[in-house]
Amino acid sequence: MHDTRTSGRRAASRLSRLTTVLALSASALLSVAGPARATAPMDPLPADIPDYQAALDLVKSADVHNTVCRFLSVPVPQGDGGGTPQPIPDKADPCEGLPAFTVKDPLALNEITPGFVAGTSLPIASQAVQLSHLVSALDAPVNGRNATVMLAPTQGGGWHLAAVRDGDSDAAYAGKATVGTLVFTEPQIRGWYQLRLTTVEPLNDQARQGLAGRSSVSLSEYQKLVKARYADKQPGSLYDTSGMSSGYAAAKKTADTPSSTPLLVGGSGAAVALVGGGVFALRRRHDTTA
């Protein structure tokens, strides 16, 4: 339960952030010409994320905690996911033998939109980027291993457990958003970027490669780059239906299944799925995306 003081502090924080964003937006309107006028991009605050309390309750639930324990208890298949499926250790308490841990509050994971990639959407934040998932890392490594819980929106409202991934890079990058900026990913290359008004800046090596080594490009220029890379590789295209989609995109499709079969993705790109108490290896689709 949140007391009135906590609610007041959150409201004050939101008001302060909104004031700053409005100031940035006003500055942008004065400095940017053309029909697609810029407003300051902004990662959604928890209160702005649909059904955020439900997402928060979910990542703090015993079911999710136990699923993470099972994930951390199972050796991840190596290589291309074609190894022998590993059984879940037969323990009455899935967390037996593991150090105590908690799952942090969910953060927004934003991705470029299909319309932006296809060139049919304007190069502005509201049309270029959309909320895709929520991600939550652990508060500390468990036996030297970290993990990220991924939630996907459920049709009709709410969130469900979509995946557990090795490592905490998704949450670490998602947490880099600041007032007046928006952090997003180009999932096909695992590139992470920060959007400042209409300027795209890389946050990791994959993103720097995606910008051909440049330290920043305009959002309009970035749209040209991703259109050249993926416009003919959209869902439903021959590239997609022939099984050539990127490994991340393939995993994402599987991750959007009901919470009864969450996808557990290892650092090598191999995956295991918890189905009916068993663990099954899933082979990655071939990744030829540049």
Side-chain angles (χ1 to χ4, degrees):
M1 296 291 292
H2 299 288
D3 59 28
T4 55
R5 289 176 297 176
T6 300
S7 299
R9 285 195 297 268
R10 287 189 173 180
S13 175
R14 291 187 64 200
L15 179 60
S16 175
R17 182 167 176 171
L18 178 60
T19 301
T20 302
V21 170
L22 288 174
L24 288 170
S25 299
S27 175
L29 289 173
L30 290 174
S31 61
V32 178
R37 291 184 174 180
T39 58
M42 183 176 65
D43 260 304
L45 291 166
D48 300 322
I49 294 173
D51 300 314
Y52 184 78
Q53 185 60 51
L56 185 62
D57 292 343
L58 180 58
V59 300
K60 303 297 183 183
S61 69
D63 284 346
V64 166
H65 192 272
N66 289 340
T67 299
V68 175
C69 286
R70 293 187 183 99
F71 173 72
L72 295 172
S73 298
V74 178
V76 177
Q78 299 298 309
D80 196 33
T84 303
Q86 300 294 315
I88 299 175
D90 186 14
K91 298 185 293 184
D93 177 5
C95 301
E96 179 186 350
L98 295 176
F101 67 87
T102 59
V103 181
K104 294 181 181 179
D105 293 357
L107 299 170
L109 191 158
N110 303 301
E111 295 182 3
I112 51 178
T113 67
F116 180 74
V117 172
T120 57
S121 297
L122 292 173
I124 56 177
S126 60
Q127 296 190 32
V129 178
Q130 65 185 3
L131 176 67
S132 173
H133 291 80
L134 300 180
V135 289
S136 304
L138 308 186
D139 64 331
V142 175
N143 294 340
R145 187 177 172 191
N146 216 317
T148 296
V149 171
M150 179 178 287
L151 306 183
T154 299
Q155 188 173 5
W159 300 86
H160 64 266
L161 175 61
V164 181
R165 299 177 61 91
D166 253 322
D168 62 353
S169 60
D170 285 346
Y173 283 117
K176 290 182 178 294
T178 60
V179 173
T181 72
L182 186 150
V183 169
F184 68 93
T185 180
E186 182 184 329
Q188 295 84 352
I189 62 171
R190 298 293 293 166
W192 284 89
Y193 304 85
Q194 190 162 41
L195 178 60
R196 300 177 184 273
L197 297 180
T198 59
T199 301
V200 176
E201 301 172 356
L203 292 177
N204 64 356
D205 288 340
Q206 293 93 323
R208 280 183 280 275
Q209 293 172 9
L211 300 185
R214 285 173 284 182
S215 60
S216 66
V217 299
S218 69
L219 187 57
S220 178
E221 180 62 24
Y222 176 67
Q223 183 176 35
K224 294 176 183 177
L225 293 173
V226 294
K227 182 179 180 181
R229 284 200 281 268
Y230 312 121
D232 61 345
K233 301 176 178 64
Q234 296 270 44
S237 67
L238 178 62
Y239 181 87
D240 175 55
T241 57
S242 62
M244 300 297 286
S245 295
S246 69
Y248 182 89
K252 179 176 179 294
K253 290 178 183 178
T254 309
D256 289 334
T257 57
S259 56
S260 59
T261 56
L263 184 72
L264 309 186
V265 185
S268 66
V272 293
L274 287 172
V275 182
V279 175
F280 300 87
L282 302 176
R283 185 179 296 276
R284 273 183 74 178
R285 295 170 72 183
H286 185 50
D287 184 359
T288 60
T289 304

